[in-house]
Amino acid sequence: MEGSSFRHGLAILLIILQFTTHIALSLADAPFHNRRNIEYIKFSCCSTTYPRLCYRSLSIYASKINTSPRLLVHTALNVTLKASKSTSRLLIKISRIHGLRPRVAAAMADCIELIGDSVDELQQSIGELVNIRRSNFSLTVSDIQTWVSAALTDEDTCMDGFAGRAMNGYAKAMVRKRIVKIAHLTSNALALINNYASSQSNLP
């Protein structure tokens, strides 16, 4: 009985060892440019306020981003926009729950409007980025920074509406979880935009 258990345990150990070895070899055989792209994203995210979230949200797009600062910013804005739209849909669903306290319902209505504005501002930023050229770079980046900063302010204002213990409850917990995430994504996107602006302004 003991011998059988030992053999069974050994077999499982060998399977795990083979699996981990395969993963290690796969990583080692990854194309150089792919590793380079991932390292570029990791390095770029170090300048953001939430580097782990930055890397986690962008590294899956490494092959698309390559080592392009513009594509890095474009992807960061798109990731943030997608999360913001999802949050907006959730807020609308929560607002339809019967029995919300009047103050909570009012804060929720404000949030829906604010996150709607944030979505518009992020879309405007992406549209501006697509049309960026060397000739209009400084003006266009300034506009993008303004739009993304406004989106971040809207997200913070939404959260402020739920301040105080009187607002505690399911709605606040759900809103806070989602708004904090998109605010962090927006903050990271803004940091990457600022880096993009600095790097390009130093070009001859």
Side-chain angles (χ1 to χ4, degrees), residues 132-146:
I132 204 164
R133 300 290 183 273
R134 183 177 288 274
S135 58
N136 66 3
F137 182 84
S138 296
L139 182 61
T140 305
V141 166
S142 178
D143 288 342
I144 293 170
Q145 288 169 319
T146 300

Side-chain angles (χ1 to χ4, degrees), residues 93 103 198:
K93 286 182 181 178
R103 281 186 61 190
S198 299

Side-chain angles (χ1 to χ4, degrees), residues 40 76 82 104 126 144 155-156 180:
Y40 169 71
K82 183 178 178 182
V104 173
I126 292 168
I144 293 170
E155 292 152 10
D156 289 340
V180 165

Side-chain angles (χ1 to χ4, degrees), residues 77-93:
L77 286 172
N78 269 310
V79 167
T80 306
L81 176 62
K82 183 178 178 182
S84 298
K85 285 181 174 180
S86 174
T87 297
S88 179
R89 290 192 294 270
L90 177 69
L91 293 178
I92 292 170
K93 286 182 181 178

